[in-house]
Amino acid sequence: MKILFVEDDKIIASGLCYSLKQEGYPVTHCLDVESAKNMLNEISFDMAILDLSLPDGSGYDICQIIKAKADIPVIFLTAIDDEVNVVMGLDMGADDYIAKPFRIRELLARIKSVLRRYDKTESAKTLIEFSGLKIDTAKAKVYKGEQEIPLTSLEYRLLLIFANHQGQVLSRHQLLDGLWDVAGDFVNDNTLTVYIKRLREKIEDNSQNPTIIKTVRGLGYKGGD
């Protein structure tokens, strides 16, 4: 489980590298885009954690290279926490997005959540049917009819929460708990709105009038009937 970690702040990098190694994750740290490119040519990584702002480019540049080479999870680190950057990162294939400052427990939970999305070790095929969708949990794939719907790790996890609680009203706090595996107050509440919007755009016939994931005013959201 080799992690490429690209961060130009040496103080942040030192602490994070230490914590990841303590958790048993081998880490290769790079300070900029150019050194990250060189490492990607030499080593096959299993995950990448990328700072957004780098001295010679952007974490987006590295993400594009990674996704063109292999299907591995990517998490962005950034001091910018706004919807535009969240959506841009997801559109480029990122699996998660975390704003600085963050707690190491939060990042570790995100890493474990993303890795479950890519876990290929499950042998038994489990199929969940949910409001006209089919969710293959063994392969972490979602189908509408015969067409596969490509979802990011967090979109998939959010959909799975609704599918496992069909017909139940779930509060925003419950959804945040399920997404991050840590207390919901670690997560910007606006981020949940972004993910629900993105998920609806992919699975609903009309995202402006959703029937799969419905808003229950004053309470939260309900998936299915």
Side-chain angles (χ1 to χ4, degrees), residues 162 168-170 172 175 196 200 214-216 220-223:
F162 283 114
Q168 298 180 32
V169 176
L170 300 174
R172 297 177 68 86
L175 292 170
I196 288 178
R200 281 172 167 167
K214 304 173 185 176
T215 300
V216 182
Y221 300 90
K222 182 174 73 169

Side-chain angles (χ1 to χ4, degrees), residues 47-48 50 63 66-67 72-76 93-96 114 118:
M47 169 178 277
L50 310 175
C63 181
I66 290 172
K67 291 297 184 178
I72 67 169
V74 172
I75 297 176
F76 278 129
D95 297 273
D96 205 348
V114 167
Y118 286 78

Side-chain angles (χ1 to χ4, degrees), residues 13-183:
S14 176
L16 190 51
C17 284
Y18 174 80
S19 297
L20 290 172
K21 288 176 181 177
Q22 288 293 104
E23 291 292 320
Y25 297 116
V27 181
T28 297
H29 173 232
C30 297
L31 292 167
D32 51 36
V33 174
E34 188 61 32
S35 57
K37 288 180 179 178
N38 292 335
M39 285 296 101
L40 286 167
N41 288 330
E42 296 178 12
I43 302 173
S44 295
F45 292 98
D46 302 296
M47 169 178 277
I49 301 173
L50 310 175
D51 187 25
L52 182 59
S53 299
L54 296 166
D56 59 343
S58 166
Y60 294 145
D61 301 327
I62 306 172
C63 181
Q64 285 182 314
I65 295 170
I66 290 172
K67 291 297 184 178
K69 292 169 66 74
D71 184 23
I72 67 169
V74 172
I75 297 176
F76 278 129
L77 305 181
T78 179
I80 305 169
D81 186 20
D82 61 70
E83 182 173 336
V84 172
N85 286 283
V86 170
V87 172
M88 185 182 298
L90 296 176
D91 283 342
M92 296 186 70
D95 297 273
D96 205 348
Y97 188 102
I98 184 169
K100 303 174 188 175
F102 55 85
R103 304 184 194 187
I104 188 62
R105 180 186 170 199
E106 179 186 5
L107 178 61
L108 292 173
R110 304 278 187 102
I111 289 172
K112 291 175 182 177
S113 176
V114 167
L115 288 176
R116 280 197 294 270
R117 167 68 173 82
Y118 286 78
D119 185 9
K120 310 298 184 184
T121 61
E122 295 184 44
S123 58
K125 179 178 179 180
T126 304
L127 191 66
I128 299 175
E129 295 192 4
F130 170 57
S131 295
L133 304 175
K134 293 182 180 179
I135 306 173
D136 184 344
T137 60
K139 297 180 180 178
K141 292 186 176 182
V142 178
Y143 300 89
K144 189 170 186 177
E146 298 300 319
Q147 182 178 0
E148 181 182 350
I149 302 174
L151 299 179
T152 66
S153 174
L154 288 178
E155 290 167 350
Y156 172 78
R157 186 160 176 75
L158 181 59
L159 179 63
L160 204 57
I161 293 171
F162 283 114
N164 287 329
H165 298 83
Q166 295 188 39
Q168 298 180 32
V169 176
L170 300 174
S171 69
R172 297 177 68 86
H173 184 78
Q174 287 175 305
L175 292 170
L176 290 168
D177 277 350
L179 280 175
W180 311 130
D181 292 332
V182 292

